[in-house]
Amino acid sequence: MTDALPPPRELCGGRFLRLIAQGHWEYAERTTATGAVAIVAITDDRRIVLVEQFRIPLGCRVIELPAGLTGDVPEDQIAGADALANSARRELLEETGYQAAEMRHLLTGPTSAGMTNEVVSYFHATGLRKVGSGGGDEHEAITVHEAPLDGLDAWIAERQAAGFGIDPKIFTSLWLVREWIRSPYYN
Amino acid sequence: MTDALPPPRELCGGRFLRLIAQGHWEYAERTTATGAVAIVAITDDRRIVLVEQFRIPLGCRVIELPAGLTGDVPEDQIAGADALANSARRELLEETGYQAAEMRHLLTGPTSAGMTNEVVSYFHATGLRKVGSGGGDEHEAITVHEAPLDGLDAWIAERQAAGFGIDPKIFTSLWLVREWIRSPYYN
C-alpha cells in the first residue's frame, strides 16, 4: 500500500494550517510547527497542574494539560535533540508558572491519525517550583488550576456539568505516569 | 472574548476536510462527519481489542482503539440520541468482528483543541461476542489484535521498537475504564 501511494500535494492553505491530499486521503498539517508537547506536572501535595482556556474551534472553555507547539520559535530549531523537552519546559513555565527540574519523555503519538499528521509528545515534569503566575503569552488568557488527584473525578464532573470541555489527554498522561514509569520497558 | 469573536468563515476546502478562519484563529473541520467514536473492548480473558492500520497522514502503521466517524452514513442521521452508540457498535463490529451487548458512553472530548473542532466519544463495550473476522470496510485493511492487559506495556514497547505508531487514546480509555466506572460521578 505504501509503495503505491502518490506523493502528498497541498490542496490549499491558510497562515497556520494547510490541507494535504495524498491518494484518496486528505489531512491537515500545521505550517508553523513540527509538533506539540503536553506536560503532566504533579505537585508534592498530589495535585495535577491543569490549564483552562477558551478554545475557538470548540466554542467553549476547555480544561487541558499545559501544552503548546514545538518548532515554532527559533530556539527550538537550534536545540536539536532537546528541542521537545525545551518546548515542554517553556510551555509549562509560560502557562502555569512552574519550573521543572526534570522533563522526562513519556510517549509521542498522533492526536487524530486519520485527520492530521500532528503528533503530541507527552512529558512528565518533576522537581516543580512555582516561580511565576503563568497565564500564557500575550495572546493567551489561561487560568491555572491545581486539581486534587484524589478526587479528580469529582473535580472534573463539576466542570463538565458547568459546560467546560475536558481534554482526554489528561487521562492519557495519568495512565502513563501511573503505569509506565514503573515498567521495565519504559526508559 | 466570545462576544467579540467574528463568525467562522471557510478559508478553503477539499472533499473531506475544510479550513475555517475565525478571528485570528484557524482550524480544520470534517465535511462529512459530525464526530468520531472510539471503543474500549476488553475480553473475558483480559485482552484489549486493538486495531492496526497504515495511516497515510503519519506514513506508518498505527496501533489504535477500534474507532470511526459518526454522522457520515444515513442511519446515523435517523438514530437521534443513540447515534453515537450505534456508530460505536457498527465500527467495533466492522473493524474487529466483535458484537457488544452494551455500549456505555465514557467521555466526549477534543482530539486537538487548538487545531480542529473534532471531538471523540469514548465508549466502553461489554458483553462481547466474536461474530466475524473484522478488518474494516472495503476501503480499509485492518489487522485485529487482542493484546493482554497484564503485560500491555511489553506488547506496546515491542511494536514501538518495530516502528509502529501508538495512539494515546488507548491509554485514555484504560484510565476511564479503571478509574471512572467505579466513580459515583460517572453514570
Side-chain angles (χ1 to χ4, degrees), chain A residues 80-130:
Chain A
D82 295 328
L84 285 173
N86 286 348
S87 301
R89 279 176 209 280
R90 180 185 65 233
E91 294 295 338
L92 181 66
L93 181 61
E94 272 182 13
E95 293 195 346
T96 72
Y98 275 100
Q99 205 162 56
E102 277 195 86
M103 261 308 165
R104 192 172 181 184
H105 179 253
L106 292 166
L107 176 74
T108 295
T111 50
S112 182
M115 177 173 193
T116 172
N117 57 7
E118 184 187 59
V119 292
V120 169
S121 294
Y122 291 78
F123 280 88
H124 184 207
T126 52
L128 297 179
R129 201 159 60 92
K130 185 94 178 175

Short mmCIF file of all heavy atoms in Angstrom, two decimals, chain A residues 80-130:
data_model
loop_
_atom_site.label_atom_id
_atom_site.label_comp_id
_atom_site.label_asym_id
_atom_site.label_seq_id
_atom_site.Cartn_x
_atom_site.Cartn_y
_atom_site.Cartn_z
N GLY A 80 18.08 21.06 18.81
CA GLY A 80 18.36 19.70 18.41
C GLY A 80 17.55 18.68 19.18
O GLY A 80 16.34 18.83 19.34
N ALA A 81 18.24 17.66 19.67
CA ALA A 81 17.55 16.54 20.31
C ALA A 81 16.78 16.97 21.55
O ALA A 81 15.83 16.31 21.96
CB ALA A 81 18.58 15.46 20.68
N ASP A 82 17.18 18.08 22.15
CA ASP A 82 16.49 18.53 23.36
C ASP A 82 15.31 19.45 23.05
O ASP A 82 14.68 19.97 23.97
CB ASP A 82 17.48 19.29 24.27
CG ASP A 82 18.57 18.36 24.78
OD1 ASP A 82 18.29 17.17 24.96
OD2 ASP A 82 19.69 18.86 25.00
N ALA A 83 15.04 19.66 21.76
CA ALA A 83 14.04 20.65 21.39
C ALA A 83 12.69 20.36 22.04
O ALA A 83 12.03 21.27 22.56
CB ALA A 83 13.89 20.71 19.87
N LEU A 84 12.28 19.10 22.04
CA LEU A 84 10.97 18.77 22.60
C LEU A 84 10.92 19.04 24.10
O LEU A 84 9.98 19.66 24.60
CB LEU A 84 10.64 17.29 22.33
CG LEU A 84 10.23 16.94 20.91
CD1 LEU A 84 10.09 15.42 20.79
CD2 LEU A 84 8.91 17.60 20.54
N ALA A 85 11.95 18.61 24.81
CA ALA A 85 11.98 18.83 26.27
C ALA A 85 12.05 20.33 26.57
O ALA A 85 11.40 20.82 27.51
CB ALA A 85 13.14 18.09 26.90
N ASN A 86 12.82 21.06 25.76
CA ASN A 86 12.89 22.51 25.96
C ASN A 86 11.53 23.17 25.74
O ASN A 86 11.13 24.06 26.49
CB ASN A 86 13.90 23.14 24.98
CG ASN A 86 15.33 22.84 25.39
OD1 ASN A 86 15.58 22.37 26.50
ND2 ASN A 86 16.26 23.10 24.49
N SER A 87 10.82 22.72 24.70
CA SER A 87 9.48 23.26 24.45
C SER A 87 8.56 22.96 25.62
O SER A 87 7.75 23.81 26.03
CB SER A 87 8.88 22.66 23.17
OG SER A 87 9.71 22.93 22.07
N ALA A 88 8.68 21.75 26.16
CA ALA A 88 7.83 21.36 27.29
C ALA A 88 8.12 22.25 28.51
O ALA A 88 7.20 22.72 29.18
CB ALA A 88 8.06 19.89 27.63
N ARG A 89 9.40 22.50 28.78
CA ARG A 89 9.76 23.40 29.89
C ARG A 89 9.19 24.79 29.69
O ARG A 89 8.65 25.41 30.61
CB ARG A 89 11.28 23.53 29.98
CG ARG A 89 11.99 22.42 30.69
CD ARG A 89 13.51 22.65 30.61
NE ARG A 89 14.20 21.39 30.64
CZ ARG A 89 14.43 20.70 31.76
NH1 ARG A 89 14.04 21.18 32.91
NH2 ARG A 89 15.04 19.54 31.71
N ARG A 90 9.35 25.30 28.47
CA ARG A 90 8.89 26.66 28.17
C ARG A 90 7.39 26.77 28.33
O ARG A 90 6.87 27.71 28.94
CB ARG A 90 9.30 27.02 26.73
CG ARG A 90 8.88 28.42 26.31
CD ARG A 90 9.21 28.68 24.85
NE ARG A 90 8.44 27.81 23.97
CZ ARG A 90 8.96 27.04 23.03
NH1 ARG A 90 10.26 27.01 22.83
NH2 ARG A 90 8.18 26.27 22.29
N GLU A 91 6.65 25.80 27.77
CA GLU A 91 5.18 25.87 27.83
C GLU A 91 4.68 25.73 29.25
O GLU A 91 3.75 26.42 29.67
CB GLU A 91 4.57 24.79 26.93
CG GLU A 91 4.83 25.00 25.44
CD GLU A 91 4.19 26.26 24.87
OE1 GLU A 91 3.22 26.76 25.47
OE2 GLU A 91 4.67 26.75 23.82
N LEU A 92 5.28 24.82 30.01
CA LEU A 92 4.85 24.66 31.41
C LEU A 92 5.05 25.97 32.17
O LEU A 92 4.16 26.42 32.91
CB LEU A 92 5.64 23.52 32.06
CG LEU A 92 5.27 23.25 33.52
CD1 LEU A 92 3.84 22.72 33.64
CD2 LEU A 92 6.24 22.26 34.17
N LEU A 93 6.21 26.58 31.98
CA LEU A 93 6.52 27.83 32.70
C LEU A 93 5.59 28.96 32.26
O LEU A 93 5.00 29.65 33.09
CB LEU A 93 7.99 28.20 32.45
CG LEU A 93 8.50 29.46 33.15
CD1 LEU A 93 8.39 29.33 34.66
CD2 LEU A 93 9.95 29.74 32.74
N GLU A 94 5.45 29.14 30.94
CA GLU A 94 4.62 30.23 30.42
C GLU A 94 3.16 30.10 30.87
O GLU A 94 2.52 31.05 31.25
CB GLU A 94 4.62 30.22 28.88
CG GLU A 94 5.74 30.99 28.24
CD GLU A 94 5.63 30.96 26.71
OE1 GLU A 94 4.57 30.57 26.15
OE2 GLU A 94 6.63 31.32 26.09
N GLU A 95 2.67 28.86 30.78
CA GLU A 95 1.24 28.67 31.02
C GLU A 95 0.89 28.56 32.50
O GLU A 95 -0.20 28.94 32.90
CB GLU A 95 0.73 27.44 30.26
CG GLU A 95 0.77 27.61 28.75
CD GLU A 95 -0.05 26.58 27.98
OE1 GLU A 95 -0.45 25.55 28.58
OE2 GLU A 95 -0.29 26.81 26.79
N THR A 96 1.81 28.00 33.29
CA THR A 96 1.44 27.71 34.69
C THR A 96 2.35 28.37 35.72
O THR A 96 2.03 28.34 36.91
CB THR A 96 1.49 26.19 34.95
OG1 THR A 96 2.86 25.76 34.98
CG2 THR A 96 0.74 25.40 33.89
N GLY A 97 3.50 28.91 35.31
CA GLY A 97 4.44 29.48 36.28
C GLY A 97 5.30 28.46 36.99
O GLY A 97 6.05 28.81 37.89
N TYR A 98 5.21 27.19 36.60
CA TYR A 98 6.02 26.15 37.24
C TYR A 98 7.30 25.88 36.45
O TYR A 98 7.26 25.67 35.23
CB TYR A 98 5.24 24.83 37.36
CG TYR A 98 4.37 24.76 38.58
CD1 TYR A 98 3.00 25.02 38.49
CD2 TYR A 98 4.91 24.47 39.83
CE1 TYR A 98 2.18 24.97 39.62
CE2 TYR A 98 4.10 24.42 40.96
CZ TYR A 98 2.74 24.67 40.85
OH TYR A 98 1.96 24.63 41.97
N GLN A 99 8.41 25.86 37.19
CA GLN A 99 9.67 25.45 36.61
C GLN A 99 9.90 24.00 37.01
O GLN A 99 9.63 23.62 38.15
CB GLN A 99 10.79 26.31 37.21
CG GLN A 99 12.00 26.45 36.34
CD GLN A 99 12.84 27.66 36.80
OE1 GLN A 99 13.24 27.74 37.95
NE2 GLN A 99 13.10 28.57 35.87
N ALA A 100 10.37 23.20 36.05
CA ALA A 100 10.59 21.78 36.32
C ALA A 100 12.08 21.48 36.33
O ALA A 100 12.81 21.89 35.42
CB ALA A 100 9.90 20.94 35.26
N ALA A 101 12.55 20.75 37.36
CA ALA A 101 13.96 20.35 37.39
C ALA A 101 14.23 19.31 36.31
O ALA A 101 15.27 19.32 35.66
CB ALA A 101 14.32 19.78 38.76
N GLU A 102 13.27 18.41 36.10
CA GLU A 102 13.44 17.38 35.06
C GLU A 102 12.21 17.28 34.19
O GLU A 102 11.08 17.41 34.66
CB GLU A 102 13.67 16.02 35.72
CG GLU A 102 15.11 15.79 36.12
CD GLU A 102 15.35 14.32 36.40
OE1 GLU A 102 15.65 13.56 35.44
OE2 GLU A 102 15.18 13.93 37.58
N MET A 103 12.45 17.00 32.90
CA MET A 103 11.38 16.76 31.93
C MET A 103 11.66 15.41 31.29
O MET A 103 12.65 15.25 30.59
CB MET A 103 11.43 17.80 30.83
CG MET A 103 10.52 18.95 30.92
SD MET A 103 8.79 18.60 31.16
CE MET A 103 8.29 20.25 31.63
N ARG A 104 10.79 14.46 31.54
CA ARG A 104 11.02 13.10 31.06
C ARG A 104 9.98 12.75 29.99
O ARG A 104 8.78 12.89 30.23
CB ARG A 104 10.87 12.16 32.25
CG ARG A 104 11.36 10.77 31.99
CD ARG A 104 11.34 9.99 33.29
NE ARG A 104 11.82 8.64 33.11
CZ ARG A 104 11.83 7.73 34.07
NH1 ARG A 104 11.38 8.02 35.28
NH2 ARG A 104 12.27 6.52 33.83
N HIS A 105 10.47 12.30 28.86
CA HIS A 105 9.57 11.95 27.76
C HIS A 105 8.82 10.66 28.07
O HIS A 105 9.42 9.67 28.51
CB HIS A 105 10.40 11.77 26.48
CG HIS A 105 9.59 11.40 25.29
ND1 HIS A 105 9.60 10.13 24.75
CD2 HIS A 105 8.73 12.11 24.53
CE1 HIS A 105 8.78 10.09 23.70
NE2 HIS A 105 8.24 11.28 23.54
N LEU A 106 7.51 10.68 27.84
CA LEU A 106 6.69 9.50 28.11
C LEU A 106 6.28 8.78 26.83
O LEU A 106 6.39 7.56 26.73
CB LEU A 106 5.41 9.92 28.85
CG LEU A 106 5.56 10.44 30.29
CD1 LEU A 106 4.27 11.11 30.74
CD2 LEU A 106 5.93 9.31 31.24
N LEU A 107 5.78 9.53 25.86
CA LEU A 107 5.21 8.91 24.66
C LEU A 107 5.01 10.00 23.62
O LEU A 107 4.71 11.14 23.97
CB LEU A 107 3.83 8.32 24.99
CG LEU A 107 3.01 7.73 23.84
CD1 LEU A 107 3.59 6.39 23.41
CD2 LEU A 107 1.55 7.54 24.25
N THR A 108 5.20 9.66 22.35
CA THR A 108 4.80 10.55 21.26
C THR A 108 3.80 9.80 20.42
O THR A 108 4.05 8.66 20.02
CB THR A 108 6.02 10.96 20.42
OG1 THR A 108 6.91 11.74 21.23
CG2 THR A 108 5.60 11.79 19.21
N GLY A 109 2.65 10.42 20.19
CA GLY A 109 1.61 9.73 19.43
C GLY A 109 0.68 10.71 18.73
O GLY A 109 0.65 11.90 19.05
N PRO A 110 -0.08 10.20 17.76
CA PRO A 110 -0.96 11.05 16.96
C PRO A 110 -2.15 11.58 17.76
O PRO A 110 -2.64 10.93 18.68
CB PRO A 110 -1.45 10.10 15.86
CG PRO A 110 -1.35 8.73 16.45
CD PRO A 110 -0.16 8.77 17.37
N THR A 111 -2.62 12.79 17.40
CA THR A 111 -3.83 13.32 18.03
C THR A 111 -5.07 12.80 17.34
O THR A 111 -6.08 12.52 17.97
CB THR A 111 -3.86 14.86 18.01
OG1 THR A 111 -3.59 15.31 16.69
CG2 THR A 111 -2.81 15.42 18.94
N SER A 112 -5.02 12.67 15.99
CA SER A 112 -6.17 12.19 15.23
C SER A 112 -5.62 11.60 13.94
O SER A 112 -5.49 12.29 12.93
CB SER A 112 -7.15 13.34 14.96
OG SER A 112 -8.29 12.87 14.26
N ALA A 113 -5.26 10.30 14.00
CA ALA A 113 -4.41 9.68 12.97
C ALA A 113 -5.01 9.71 11.57
O ALA A 113 -4.29 9.65 10.58
CB ALA A 113 -4.10 8.24 13.37
N GLY A 114 -6.34 9.84 11.47
CA GLY A 114 -6.96 9.89 10.16
C GLY A 114 -7.01 11.29 9.59
O GLY A 114 -7.10 11.48 8.38
N MET A 115 -6.93 12.30 10.44
CA MET A 115 -7.26 13.67 10.04
C MET A 115 -6.06 14.59 9.95
O MET A 115 -6.12 15.62 9.29
CB MET A 115 -8.22 14.21 11.10
CG MET A 115 -8.62 15.64 10.89
SD MET A 115 -9.91 16.10 12.06
CE MET A 115 -10.42 17.64 11.31
N THR A 116 -4.98 14.26 10.64
CA THR A 116 -3.83 15.17 10.67
C THR A 116 -2.55 14.39 10.94
O THR A 116 -2.59 13.30 11.53
CB THR A 116 -4.01 16.27 11.75
OG1 THR A 116 -2.79 17.02 11.87
CG2 THR A 116 -4.35 15.69 13.11
N ASN A 117 -1.43 14.95 10.52
CA ASN A 117 -0.14 14.35 10.84
C ASN A 117 0.41 14.88 12.17
O ASN A 117 1.54 14.55 12.54
CB ASN A 117 0.87 14.57 9.70
CG ASN A 117 1.07 16.04 9.38
OD1 ASN A 117 0.56 16.91 10.08
ND2 ASN A 117 1.80 16.32 8.31
N GLU A 118 -0.38 15.64 12.89
CA GLU A 118 0.08 16.17 14.18
C GLU A 118 0.34 15.04 15.16
O GLU A 118 -0.47 14.12 15.30
CB GLU A 118 -0.97 17.11 14.77
CG GLU A 118 -0.49 17.76 16.07
CD GLU A 118 -1.57 18.57 16.77
OE1 GLU A 118 -2.64 18.01 17.13
OE2 GLU A 118 -1.36 19.77 16.94
N VAL A 119 1.48 15.12 15.84
CA VAL A 119 1.76 14.22 16.96
C VAL A 119 2.02 15.07 18.20
O VAL A 119 2.52 16.19 18.12
CB VAL A 119 2.96 13.29 16.71
CG1 VAL A 119 2.65 12.27 15.62
CG2 VAL A 119 4.22 14.07 16.37
N VAL A 120 1.65 14.50 19.34
CA VAL A 120 1.90 15.17 20.62
C VAL A 120 2.89 14.33 21.41
O VAL A 120 2.76 13.11 21.49
CB VAL A 120 0.59 15.32 21.44
CG1 VAL A 120 0.89 15.75 22.87
CG2 VAL A 120 -0.33 16.33 20.78
N SER A 121 3.88 15.00 21.98
CA SER A 121 4.83 14.34 22.86
C SER A 121 4.46 14.65 24.30
O SER A 121 4.39 15.82 24.69
CB SER A 121 6.26 14.82 22.56
OG SER A 121 6.64 14.38 21.27
N TYR A 122 4.21 13.59 25.06
CA TYR A 122 3.85 13.73 26.47
C TYR A 122 5.13 13.73 27.31
O TYR A 122 5.99 12.86 27.14
CB TYR A 122 2.98 12.55 26.91
CG TYR A 122 1.59 12.55 26.31
CD1 TYR A 122 1.38 12.11 25.01
CD2 TYR A 122 0.49 12.97 27.04
CE1 TYR A 122 0.11 12.10 24.45
CE2 TYR A 122 -0.79 12.96 26.50
CZ TYR A 122 -0.97 12.53 25.20
OH TYR A 122 -2.23 12.53 24.67
N PHE A 123 5.20 14.68 28.24
CA PHE A 123 6.34 14.77 29.15
C PHE A 123 5.86 14.76 30.60
O PHE A 123 4.81 15.31 30.91
CB PHE A 123 7.13 16.07 28.90
CG PHE A 123 8.06 15.98 27.73
CD1 PHE A 123 7.61 16.29 26.45
CD2 PHE A 123 9.37 15.57 27.90
CE1 PHE A 123 8.45 16.19 25.35
CE2 PHE A 123 10.22 15.47 26.81
CZ PHE A 123 9.77 15.78 25.54
N HIS A 124 6.69 14.17 31.45
CA HIS A 124 6.45 14.16 32.89
C HIS A 124 7.41 15.16 33.53
O HIS A 124 8.62 14.99 33.45
CB HIS A 124 6.69 12.75 33.44
CG HIS A 124 6.37 12.60 34.88
ND1 HIS A 124 6.99 11.67 35.69
CD2 HIS A 124 5.49 13.26 35.68
CE1 HIS A 124 6.49 11.75 36.91
NE2 HIS A 124 5.59 12.70 36.94
N ALA A 125 6.86 16.19 34.13
CA ALA A 125 7.67 17.23 34.78
C ALA A 125 7.82 16.89 36.25
O ALA A 125 6.82 16.66 36.94
CB ALA A 125 7.00 18.59 34.63
N THR A 126 9.06 16.88 36.74
CA THR A 126 9.27 16.64 38.16
C THR A 126 10.21 17.72 38.73
O THR A 126 10.81 18.48 37.98
CB THR A 126 9.87 15.24 38.43
OG1 THR A 126 11.04 15.07 37.61
CG2 THR A 126 8.88 14.14 38.10
N GLY A 127 10.31 17.77 40.04
CA GLY A 127 11.10 18.82 40.69
C GLY A 127 10.47 20.17 40.43
O GLY A 127 11.13 21.12 40.00
N LEU A 128 9.18 20.28 40.70
CA LEU A 128 8.43 21.50 40.36
C LEU A 128 8.71 22.62 41.36
O LEU A 128 8.77 22.39 42.56
CB LEU A 128 6.93 21.21 40.37
CG LEU A 128 6.42 20.20 39.35
CD1 LEU A 128 4.92 20.01 39.53
CD2 LEU A 128 6.73 20.64 37.93
N ARG A 129 8.84 23.83 40.84
CA ARG A 129 9.00 25.02 41.69
C ARG A 129 8.16 26.13 41.07
O ARG A 129 8.28 26.41 39.88
CB ARG A 129 10.48 25.42 41.71
CG ARG A 129 10.87 26.28 42.90
CD ARG A 129 12.39 26.20 43.13
NE ARG A 129 13.13 26.67 41.97
CZ ARG A 129 13.54 27.94 41.80
NH1 ARG A 129 13.28 28.86 42.70
NH2 ARG A 129 14.21 28.29 40.72
N LYS A 130 7.30 26.71 41.87
CA LYS A 130 6.44 27.80 41.36
C LYS A 130 7.25 29.09 41.35
O LYS A 130 7.68 29.56 42.41
CB LYS A 130 5.20 27.92 42.27
CG LYS A 130 4.17 28.94 41.80
CD LYS A 130 3.07 28.31 40.97
CE LYS A 130 2.03 29.36 40.56
NZ LYS A 130 1.00 28.84 39.66
#
